[in-house]
Amino acid sequence: MRKLACAFAVLISAACSQPAPPPAPPAGPAEDLITTDSMTGHIKVLASDEYEGRAPATPGGEKTQNYLAEQLKALGVEPGAPDGTYFQQVPIVESVVDRSFVLSVPGNTYRYYNDVVAFSGVERPRVQVQGEVVFVGHGINAPELKWNDYAGANVRNKWVLIMVNDPPAPADEPTLFGGNALTYYGRWTYKFEEAARQGAAGALLIHTEESATYPWQVVQSSWSGTQYSLPPQAGEPALGVKAWITDTAAKDLVRRGGQNLDTLRASASKRGFKPVTLNVRAAATLAQKASRKTSANVIGVVKGTNPAEAVLYSAHWDHFGTRAPLPTDKPDTDRIYNGAYDNASGVAGVLEIAKAFAKAPQKPQRSIYFAFVTAEESGLLGSSFLAANPPIPMDKVAANINIDGVNYLGATTDMVQLGSERSTLGATIDALLKERNRTLGSDQHPERGYFFRSDHFPFAKAGVPALSLSEPQQFTGANAAALKKKQEEYNGKDYHQPSDEFDPSWDFGGGVNDMRLLAQLGWRIANQPQMPKYNEGDQFAQVRK
Ligand SMILES: [Zn+2]
């Protein structure tokens, strides 16, 4: 057709003496602008000592927020926060529970730290909970699995005593509760959320090393000291006391209530379990010092031709800041948690992807949001706040692509995306990887529930199909085994330590490939006629139904 049109046009114009212009390049993000140099440039700044380890609500945190907003502006990415700025202020409750906390039953008192570790879901300085104790098994209400550990019970203003983890899958239902994989129903966060929804006043999670996969000392160190949370939303149910209790103390409590914990646990692992009200009342008084802080999610948007819908990229910018000196420190002891891999690299990756969209020759259909969220390390607070207060309704968000760390060890054939098996996003990324002669790897440890521990998770809970970039396994080249070892060394030695620092020998060859691919992935999702969907039967498919 072109030839013919040109032959005709030649009669009226000399322009056709030129050869026909080459066909327009396929529209897409400006992937080539994603480079090692500009990625490492961001990491060097964000992970420098000047940024003091990027703790929320500190000067280093402020610096980080400003840097991100300046970068977005310079790229031509518009402000994307709900108020039309780059900054979404996130209120953070900082609280310290007084060690005078006790949990008592007639005849015995369980001591703070040794027997029980508690915190509160409300901001009051003094919280009291008194009432009957109801054993609710695994504390799960899963209508899609026809499983309800609260069936027939009224736990309003009472204590609930709960087992952690999922119930085991029986032989005749091998995939019940994900089989070997941990489902969200097995996570301790879910247990507290469901207990609050059921109207309980206090919840006691029974710690056993086997079910929690970590010893009681981890409960002690994680849940005593300063805790961070979002203030409860108006009308949202909240627990007065959220507590972990040792297996020994729980056994004693149940015995005083006229039952045997092991017998109860056995009955709770089978279908048809009914909650058991124990013949014992428990009382606790919790005193706490609570104060408010504020830190910002930094959000930008490249508007699409259909701005009513969007794709959301996310990466957390915060890390642990700078710790106070210890008596054992030497003068040159490094106390700054630079967080170069975790997660200056992820932030740099999302900035690079933002550039590829901002500089693209065409606009995508759906808008593309870039969210640099705060307070991930204190419990996914920034992303949870964003999911509850989004710039566009969560059911209009086609997908979330989260980046927690960019591979700095060199090229890989595989890419691992947590959540890829849960939704139609899996097929999209699988196809894209095949085009680039790569493969989609799988979660190495589904039993650990990593899908529930990063910033994509609050979006998944809100029904948004989500993916989170995880560590690749298949390095290429002669030194592949050495690289795998280096990766393990980071996890053993540097993860969440001051030694997570930028190293000029890092090789972002693989990381750049990954970011280019993720830019293309977002582009395709933004232009697909259909919104991506969770697979039938997935826990998060319920939300949009
Ligand atoms: Zn971290």
Side-chain angles (χ1 to χ4, degrees):
M1 269 315 275
R2 175 170 291 151
K3 234 182 189 168
L4 196 69
C6 205
F8 175 71
V10 78
L11 300 172
I12 49 169
S13 160
C16 272
S17 59
Q18 307 284 327
E31 276 186 49
D32 294 352
L33 299 181
I34 298 178
T35 65
T36 292
D37 276 359
S38 80
M39 196 139 82
T40 50
H42 294 307
I43 299 172
K44 278 187 212 163
V45 173
L46 294 165
S48 67
D49 286 357
E50 206 193 319
Y51 280 67
E52 299 170 343
R54 305 189 304 279
T58 64
E62 291 276 306
K63 239 179 220 171
T64 310
Q65 292 170 197
N66 292 334
Y67 177 82
L68 294 172
E70 278 159 23
Q71 294 301 315
L72 290 173
K73 196 172 175 199
L75 291 172
V77 176
E78 290 176 49
D83 69 353
T85 71
Y86 287 112
F87 303 106
Q88 177 179 48
Q89 300 299 335
V90 178
I92 296 171
V93 181
E94 198 182 83
S95 61
V96 185
V97 171
D98 197 279
R99 290 182 168 237
S100 62
F101 177 91
V102 287
L103 174 71
S104 52
V105 294
N108 205 1
T109 291
Y110 309 112
R111 283 171 307 156
Y112 185 75
Y113 210 66
N114 287 352
D115 307 316
V116 59
V117 171
F119 46 103
S120 183
V122 299
E123 266 183 282
R124 289 196 302 274
R126 207 178 141 81
V127 183
Q128 278 185 301
V129 173
Q130 281 185 55
E132 285 180 305
V133 183
V134 184
F135 175 77
V136 293
H138 292 86
I140 293 171
N141 178 15
E144 76 281 16
L145 301 174
K146 301 188 173 60
W147 187 289
N148 184 4
D149 290 325
Y150 287 90
N154 174 8
V155 300
R156 195 149 289 278
N157 299 324
K158 297 176 186 170
W159 291 98
V160 286
L161 180 65
I162 311 172
M163 296 161 70
V164 295
N165 253 336
D166 291 320
D172 56 340
E173 285 185 274
T175 60
L176 184 66
F177 290 106
N180 285 335
L182 184 72
T183 75
Y184 186 54
Y185 294 117
R187 282 283 285 166
W188 57 270
T189 46
Y190 167 82
K191 315 278 182 183
F192 286 141
E193 288 164 9
E194 187 60 36
R197 278 192 288 270
Q198 298 283 342
L204 304 167
L205 295 187
I206 308 165
H207 174 268
T208 68
E209 216 157 294
E210 185 201 350
S211 57
T213 69
Y214 42 76
W216 178 247
Q217 289 91 301
V218 173
V219 174
Q220 290 175 320
S221 60
S222 314
W223 297 113
S224 61
T226 309
Q227 302 296 320
Y228 299 92
S229 58
L230 291 177
Q233 305 258 4
E236 188 186 40
L239 291 169
V241 173
K242 304 178 181 185
W244 285 89
I245 184 167
T246 62
D247 194 46
T248 311
K251 276 184 173 147
D252 181 78
L253 186 151
V254 170
R255 191 176 55 76
R256 287 167 195 278
Q259 300 278 346
N260 175 294
L261 183 57
D262 288 331
T263 312
L264 290 182
R265 280 198 278 232
S267 68
S269 296
K270 298 193 194 90
R271 269 198 184 282
F273 162 77
K274 291 274 178 330
V276 178
T277 301
L278 306 176
N279 187 22
V280 68
R281 286 177 67 84
T285 304
L286 181 149
Q288 61 181 346
K289 278 203 186 73
S291 55
R292 286 277 186 113
K293 290 195 165 170
T294 304
S295 181
N297 292 331
V298 183
I299 309 170
V301 60
V302 169
K303 292 255 172 70
T305 52
N306 167 21
E309 295 180 351
V311 172
L312 169 68
Y313 287 92
S314 58
H316 74 89
W317 63 252
D318 66 298
H319 204 49
F320 294 103
T322 304
R323 70 162 172 78
L326 295 171
T328 48
D329 284 350
K330 298 191 184 73
D332 63 343
T333 296
D334 184 7
R335 297 183 286 109
I336 303 173
Y337 293 87
N338 304 80
Y341 173 70
D342 178 12
N343 189 24
S345 69
V347 167
V350 173
L351 278 174
E352 290 293 285
I353 293 170
K355 175 170 63 180
F357 276 93
K359 308 292 183 200
Q362 283 175 302
K363 294 284 165 228
Q365 285 173 19
R366 298 187 174 98
S367 292
I368 314 289
Y369 281 83
F370 304 95
F372 302 92
V373 293
T374 184
E376 185 266 358
E377 305 285 10
S378 5
L380 316 181
L381 301 187
S383 51
S384 300
F385 188 82
L386 176 55
N389 304 275
I392 78 164
M394 276 285 114
D395 60 354
K396 300 293 179 202
V397 179
N400 169 233
I401 301 169
N402 183 61
I403 303 179
D404 258 4
V406 174
N407 166 25
Y408 58 81
L409 292 165
T412 64
T413 52
D414 67 336
M415 179 185 257
V416 177
Q417 288 284 352
L418 300 181
S420 57
E421 74 290 0
R422 292 178 174 271
S423 73
T424 56
L425 293 178
T428 309
I429 190 160
D430 195 35
L432 186 50
L433 280 159
K434 278 199 186 103
E435 286 172 28
R436 299 185 181 201
N437 294 317
R438 297 183 62 191
T439 54
L440 183 60
S442 58
D443 186 354
Q444 296 297 296
H445 295 286
E447 76 286 359
R448 294 187 191 164
Y450 287 133
F451 185 75
F452 316 120
R453 303 188 191 189
S454 291
D455 283 312
H456 60 288
F457 180 56
F459 306 118
K461 247 164 104 187
V464 178
L467 295 175
S468 188
L469 183 64
S470 187
E471 290 183 330
Q473 305 297 317
Q474 310 290 333
F475 293 96
T476 60
N479 59 345
L483 295 174
K484 192 85 201 28
K485 204 165 154 241
K486 235 173 137 182
Q487 185 186 47
E488 279 156 23
E489 271 169 22
Y490 170 88
N491 288 324
K493 276 202 338 235
D494 304 320
Y495 175 69
H496 284 189
Q497 299 302 324
S499 56
D500 180 1
E501 299 212 47
F502 177 70
D503 179 338
S505 74
W506 282 2
D507 171 1
F508 278 101
V512 162
N513 287 343
D514 289 352
M515 294 308 106
R516 290 178 175 181
L517 194 142
L518 291 185
Q520 185 62 240
L521 175 70
W523 182 273
R524 289 194 186 176
I525 297 166
N527 292 302
Q528 275 169 1
Q530 304 287 329
M531 295 276 272
K533 270 203 304 218
Y534 276 103
N535 300 333
E536 202 59 45
D538 191 275
Q539 184 173 7
F540 305 109
Q542 299 297 314
V543 188
R544 285 187 174 174
K545 276 191 185 161

